[in-house]
Amino acid sequence: MMNFNGAARKRSPTAIAEAATTIGVEAAALAAVIQVEAAGSGFDAQGRPKMLFEPHRFYANLTGLQRTRAVAAGLAYAKWKPGAYPKDSYPRINKAMAINEEAALLSASWGLPQMMGENFRLCGYASVEDMVEAFCASEDAQITAMALFLKNRGIVTALKAKNWARVALLYNG
C-alpha cells in the first residue's frame, strides 16, 4: 500500500512564476487559484499532500463486487453528498485502497491544486500512482502539474482574462 509521507518539500521561491510563464499567465493569477484550492499549502500538518477522498468518484471508478464492498463499508455512494467529508480523509482512503488501490487514488483530489487523481494524464503523468508520489515529494511538482492541467484542459484563456467564474467552472467541472 502506498505511503503518503514523502519529502514534502515546500515550493521553491520561483515555482509559481516559472509555471505561470510556461503557460503564459500572470504569476498572481496562478497564485490566486492555488490559494483558493488549498489555502496556500500543499501538505497537511503530518507532511502528507492535502487530500480529499470523493466517495461518489470511488463508486464511479469501481464495478461489481468491489463496488458492492465499498458501498457496504460506507466508502462509496452513487451521488455526491454535500457536507459528507471528514476533517481527515486519509483513514477513508486507506480503507478504500484495501478494496482497490488505483480506484481509490483516482477518486481523491490532491495537493495544492486539489487535482483529482482521475486527471493524472492531463497533469503529465503516466499513472495516478506516479502523480501521487510526485505530489508527496514537493509542492513544485504539484504546481507544475496544475499548470499542465490548466493548459491541457483549456483553462488558460479564462485565467489570462481573469474570468474567475469561467476558471471555476472549467477547473471544478
Side-chain angles (χ1 to χ4, degrees):
M1 191 174 314
M2 181 170 279
N3 174 3
F4 297 108
N5 290 101
R9 289 184 303 273
K10 291 294 189 181
R11 78 190 79 152
S12 62
T14 59
I16 292 174
E18 289 171 1
T21 298
T22 299
I23 61 172
V25 301
E26 290 179 38
L30 184 57
V33 176
I34 290 168
Q35 184 62 36
V36 167
E37 289 300 320
S41 174
F43 298 102
D44 67 14
Q46 296 180 43
R48 305 169 300 188
K50 284 188 176 175
M51 184 272 300
L52 183 64
F53 180 72
E54 301 278 3
H56 68 288
R57 297 307 310 147
F58 193 46
Y59 183 93
N61 284 311
L62 295 173
T63 59
L65 183 56
Q66 288 183 339
R67 181 186 283 169
T68 302
R69 285 180 51 212
V71 169
L75 298 169
Y77 38 76
K79 296 188 188 266
W80 178 74
K81 296 179 183 179
Y85 298 101
K87 188 169 180 88
D88 182 357
S89 282
Y90 277 97
R92 198 186 292 195
I93 199 170
N94 286 328
K95 290 175 186 170
M97 288 171 60
I99 295 170
N100 184 313
E101 184 168 332
E102 181 181 27
L105 297 174
L106 289 168
S107 304
S109 55
W110 298 96
L112 280 167
Q114 284 298 282
M115 191 59 52
M116 287 297 298
E118 295 168 344
N119 293 312
F120 69 87
R121 285 186 189 88
L122 292 174
C123 294
Y125 292 96
S127 71
V128 68
E129 293 85 359
D130 289 346
M131 185 182 98
V132 173
E133 286 176 11
F135 279 32
C136 289
S138 75
E139 287 181 349
D140 285 10
Q142 296 173 21
I143 292 166
T144 299
M146 179 185 205
L148 284 171
F149 175 80
L150 291 167
K151 178 183 173 194
N152 292 330
R153 185 82 166 84
I155 303 173
V156 170
T157 301
L159 192 56
K160 283 181 181 179
K162 297 180 185 155
N163 182 343
W164 303 116
R166 183 93 176 128
V167 169
L169 175 68
L170 294 172
Y171 195 87
N172 294 314

